[in-house]
Structures are given as structure tokens and as C-alpha cells.
């Protein structure tokens, strides 16, 4: 098989992964069976598709193949009667059980995995793995922890679900608010991984950003009076509006250099309307603040017209809700635009983010603007070492090469 053929199969599989896992978990009620069957379906696709071609309905093909592999496993293991009977079903044509308030398979699985029996970080990590199809290294990068730590966390979450017999039932309406925070975090991280992928594959993964937005829209319909849901959707569409302008000739294009004519103005209008919905409810939250910051950026006709004082003020409000170093880093970038690079650099240097590529990239840019060339080169080198995203590496390499 050529590398191109394998990459095409893997891309389709990645796009279909969340849908496939959700349908298998609903049908067989077991995470391990779902993941093993999905992996076996991928192996079969890698063997057959390069010769026969990608089928017209690759998602349906993968679902059927994975379902057959799961049935084969159930036959082999001869599980308890209920599952053993399921092993002899050639087709999953039984009526669906009532779905309750959440109709979408993937959103239902997302809420199910965000069960209170699991620790908060375990819920997020597990659902990123199952629904986002993210690898353990990608999830570890999102949490800024070692891969081994993240792998153990996901394994423990699966064992806890099995040991506690957490049911794969549809959450009742009363369960939704308690699980909402974890669901919003998952959608946010899935979107971020698609918007700037941490792996060495495609620099932007549109299937992940699109899936996060799709699920956020369903969630907004389900809970229209929850301002943080509205805020998350607003932030996602306002950020997605800039996606086509973010990579040019294989290089990342930072916000200040983007061609704003290439932004999706329908998304921007939708996002601004959603921000106004949040303002009308007047119960500020983290995602609403992030949406408002994006609204300021997308409202400016050019980078020079950005109201940086308003951006800093919004980050000040966000810091009171989320005092994380990542928020502080983004605030420092805005402060540098308002008060100068030396002020911004002083703020950045206080942050414990030496393992985070964006911290090094921010330092590199500020040092460059201050004329501290030797230090800027070192920071660019550290930033390129800390990321695997090809578009980001290309951009950082170009900026470093411009230093004399």
C-alpha cells in the first residue's frame, strides 16, 4: 500500500471515529468492545480499500464491519445470555430504546462519559479519546501532562466505569446540568485540537472543528437558556470563521497578518448574535468571556483597528473566572499590544509554562520586537521543538530566519 493510500484510509477513519464509537457503545454497551471492533475495522479497511477503492458510504461500511467484528468477539467469549443472544443478530434492526432529552448518539455518549462517578479530568480525557478520536499523545498535549500519565488516567476511567457498572443510559433532564461543565470542556478541547492540531499530521483538522460545532449547536437547542452553552457556540463559530485564513502555503498565519476578506462573515454574524444573547441573560462565564474577546477581534476591520483596551478588560474579567496560566499568557499578548512588548514580556516570564510551545513562541515574538535577537532565536528554537504542527513550525522557522 502506498503512503498516500494509507493516509486516505486513515483520514476517513479519523473523520468517522466518533460516530462509529458512539453507535457501537449504544449497540453493545461496552467501551473495550467498541474500541477493539473499530480498530479491527480500520485494519480491514487498510487491507481492502487501496485495491477496491473507498466505498460510497465509508461510515456505513466501517459501522457494518466493526459491528460484525464485535459480534464475532461476543460469540468467541460466550458472554452472559443477553449479550450472547446479541452475538447472533446479523443486523441491528431492533427498535431503539427511548433516547430521552438527548437524541444524538455522540452527544448522548458524551454526556454518559461525563458521569459524576468519574473524576473531572478523567471524564474529559475519556470522551476526547472516544468521541474526538484523539490519540493519547494529543490528549496529553491538551492537558500539558506526560503521555504515560494520560494513558493511565484513561485506563483508570475505563476500569472505574466497568467496576462501578456505570450504565450507558440516556441521561435524564435532571442529570444534564451536573454534567454540563465536563461536556463543554470536551467540546472546547476537541475544537482546539482541530483548530491547531498537536500531532504531525494535518495542521488543521476540519472534521474535529466541524464536529465540535455540530454538537455545540445541538446542545444549544437542548439548553437554550444556559448562557455558557451559548457562549461556547459563539466562541467556536467566531474562531472557525478565521480558519481558512490561518494557513497559507503551508505556514500558520497569525491573527494580525490574516486576510480578513477570507473570513467567513456568516459565521461572524452568527457569533455576534449569540454574544448578544449572552449579554441579555447577563450571567457571565468563561466561555462567554472568550466569545466576547473573539467578537472584538472579528469586529475590527483591520488588525490596527483592534480595540486592545477592551480585549485586556475582557481578559481581566476572564481571569477572575479562570486564573489559569494559559489565560494569563493570552492576556499578556493583549497587554503587549496596548502597553508595549517589554510590559508583555515581564508578564510572560512569570508564567510556569516552559513546556508549552505557545509560551516560547510568544516570548520569541516579544524578544524580536525588543531587538533582543540572540534570545529571540533561542525562543524560536524552543517553540519549534515543543510543537509537531507542521504549519506552526514553518511559520516559526520563517520568523527565525528573518532575524539577523
Amino acid at each position: 500500500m502506498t503512503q498516500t493510500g494509507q493516509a486516505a484510509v486513515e483520514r476517513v477513519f479519523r473523520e468517522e471515529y466518533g460516530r462509529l464509537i458512539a453507535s457501537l457503545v449504544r449497540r453493545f454497551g461496552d467501551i473495550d468492545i467498541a474500541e477493539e471492533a473499530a480498530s479491527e475495522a480500520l485494519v480491514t479497511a487498510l487491507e481492502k480499500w487501496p485495491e477496491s477503492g473507498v466505498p460510497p458510504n465509508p461510515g456505513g461500511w466501517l459501522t457494518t464491519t466493526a459491528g460484525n467484528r464485535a459480534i464475532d468477539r461476543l460469540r468467541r467469549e460466550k458472554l452472559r445470555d443477553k449479550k450472547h443472544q446479541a452475538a447472533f443478530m446479523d443486523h441491528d434492526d431492533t427498535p431503539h430504546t427511548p433516547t430521552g432529552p438527548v437524541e444524538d448518539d455522540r452527544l448522548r455518549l458524551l454526556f454518559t462519559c461525563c458521569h459524576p462517578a468519574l473524576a473531572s479530568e478523567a471524564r474529559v480525557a475519556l470522551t476526547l479519546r472516544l468521541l474526538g478520536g484523539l490519540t493519547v499523545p494529543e490528549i496529553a498535549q491538551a492537558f500539558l501532562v506526560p503521555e504515560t500519565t494520560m494513558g493511565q488516567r484513561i485506563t483508570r476511567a475505563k476500569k472505574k466505569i466497568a467496576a462501578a457498572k456505570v450504565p450507558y443510559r440516556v441521561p435524564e433532564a435532571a442529570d444534564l446540568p451536573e454534567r454540563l461543565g465536563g461536556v463543554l470542556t470536551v467540546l472546547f478541547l476537541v475544537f482546539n485540537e482541530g483548530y491547531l492540531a498537536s500531532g504531525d499530521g494535518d495542521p488543521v483538522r476540519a472534521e474535529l472543528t466541524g464536529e465540535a460545532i455540530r454538537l455545540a449547536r445541538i446542545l444549544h437547542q437542548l439548553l437554550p437558556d444556559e448562557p455558557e452553552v451559548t457562549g461556547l457556540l459563539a466562541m467556536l463559530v467566531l474562531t472557525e470563521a478565521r480558519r481558512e485564513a490561518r494557513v497559507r502555503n503551508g505556514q500558520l498565519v497569525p491573527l494580525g497578518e490574516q486576510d480578513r476578506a477570507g473570513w467567513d462573515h456568516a459565521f461572524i454574524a452568527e457569533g455576534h448574535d449569540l454574544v448578544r444573547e449572552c449579554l441579555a441573560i447577563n450571567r457571565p462565564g468563561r466561555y462567554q468571556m472568550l466569545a466576547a474577546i473573539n467578537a472584538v477581534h472579528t469586529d475590527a476591520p483591520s488588525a490596527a483597528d483592534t480595540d486592545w483596551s477592551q480585549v485586556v478588560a475582557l481578559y481581566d474579567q476572564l481571569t477572575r473566572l479562570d486564573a489559569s496560566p494559559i489565560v494569563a499568557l493570552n492576556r499578556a499578548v493583549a497587554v503587549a499590544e496596548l502597553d508595549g512588548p517589554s510590559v508583555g514580556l515581564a508578564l510572560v516570564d512569570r508564567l510556569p509554562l516552559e513546556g508549552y510551545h505557545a509560551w516560547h513562541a510568544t516570548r520569541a515574538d516579544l524578544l524580536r520586537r525588543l531587538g533582543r535577537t540572540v534570545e529571540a532565536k533561542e525562543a524560536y528554537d524552543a517553540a519549534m521543538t515543543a510543537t509537531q504542527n507542521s504549519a506552526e513550525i514553518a511559520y516559526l522557522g520563517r520568523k527565525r530566519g528573518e532575524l539577523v
Side-chain angles (χ1 to χ4, degrees), residues 289-302:
M289 290 296 105
L290 290 170
I293 291 165
N294 275 277
V296 174
H297 285 302
T298 52
D299 192 48
S302 69

Side-chain angles (χ1 to χ4, degrees), residues 106-360:
R106 283 160 288 180
L107 194 62
R108 290 167 59 205
L109 178 58
L110 198 159
F111 268 109
T112 301
C113 288
C114 289
H115 193 280
L118 301 177
S120 176
E121 289 185 342
R123 300 176 208 170
V124 175
L126 183 60
T127 44
L128 284 174
R129 178 75 192 101
L130 295 180
L131 279 165
L134 274 64
T135 64
V136 172
E138 288 168 345
I139 302 170
Q141 175 71 19
F143 280 89
L144 303 179
V145 299
E147 291 178 27
T148 52
T149 300
M150 185 52 63
Q152 291 167 357
R153 189 175 294 170
I154 292 172
T155 299
R156 284 196 300 268
K158 291 179 184 178
K159 289 181 178 178
K160 181 67 178 288
I161 285 176
K165 295 183 171 56
V166 172
Y168 286 97
R169 63 173 177 79
V170 178
E172 302 296 335
D175 297 328
L176 301 186
E178 183 181 17
R179 305 187 195 181
L180 184 59
V183 170
L184 295 178
T185 299
V186 168
L187 294 180
F188 178 65
L189 291 175
V190 168
F191 182 89
N192 280 351
E193 177 60 30
Y195 199 65
L196 186 63
S198 61
D200 58 1
D202 295 336
V204 175
R205 295 175 59 178
E207 79 278 4
L208 289 183
T209 60
E211 179 66 2
I213 290 174
R214 188 189 73 82
L215 292 173
R217 289 193 194 284
I218 296 172
L219 196 58
H220 184 241
Q221 294 170 2
L222 184 69
L223 300 168
D225 297 324
E226 285 288 345
E228 278 293 81
V229 175
T230 306
L232 177 70
L233 178 57
M235 188 208 69
L236 298 188
V237 297
L238 288 171
T239 308
E240 181 76 350
R242 307 196 300 267
R243 177 168 57 84
E244 292 297 326
R246 290 188 74 244
V247 177
R248 183 174 60 241
N249 298 325
Q251 290 189 21
L252 184 70
V253 182
L255 178 61
E257 300 176 20
Q258 289 176 15
D259 178 7
R260 300 190 176 212
W263 288 0
D264 188 322
H265 293 280
F267 267 159
I268 291 173
E270 179 188 1
H272 287 185
D273 286 343
L274 290 166
V275 169
R276 282 189 282 270
E277 284 185 30
C278 294
L279 291 173
I281 296 174
N282 194 27
R283 296 204 316 266
R286 178 188 181 218
Y287 296 109
Q288 295 171 75
M289 290 296 105
L290 290 170
I293 291 165
N294 275 277
V296 174
H297 285 302
T298 52
D299 192 48
S302 69
D305 294 317
T306 303
D307 187 346
W308 287 107
S309 62
Q310 187 177 2
V311 172
V312 172
L314 288 168
Y315 270 119
D316 288 341
Q317 294 182 56
L318 177 58
T319 300
R320 289 192 283 272
L321 298 167
D322 178 5
S324 73
I326 303 296
V327 170
L329 177 64
N330 290 326
R331 179 184 178 277
V333 172
V335 169
E337 296 296 330
L338 190 63
D339 298 327
S342 60
V343 179
L345 182 62
L347 295 173
V348 170
D349 281 343
R350 299 174 190 168
L351 301 175
L353 291 172
E354 290 83 355
Y356 185 41
H357 72 279
W359 183 79
H360 293 288

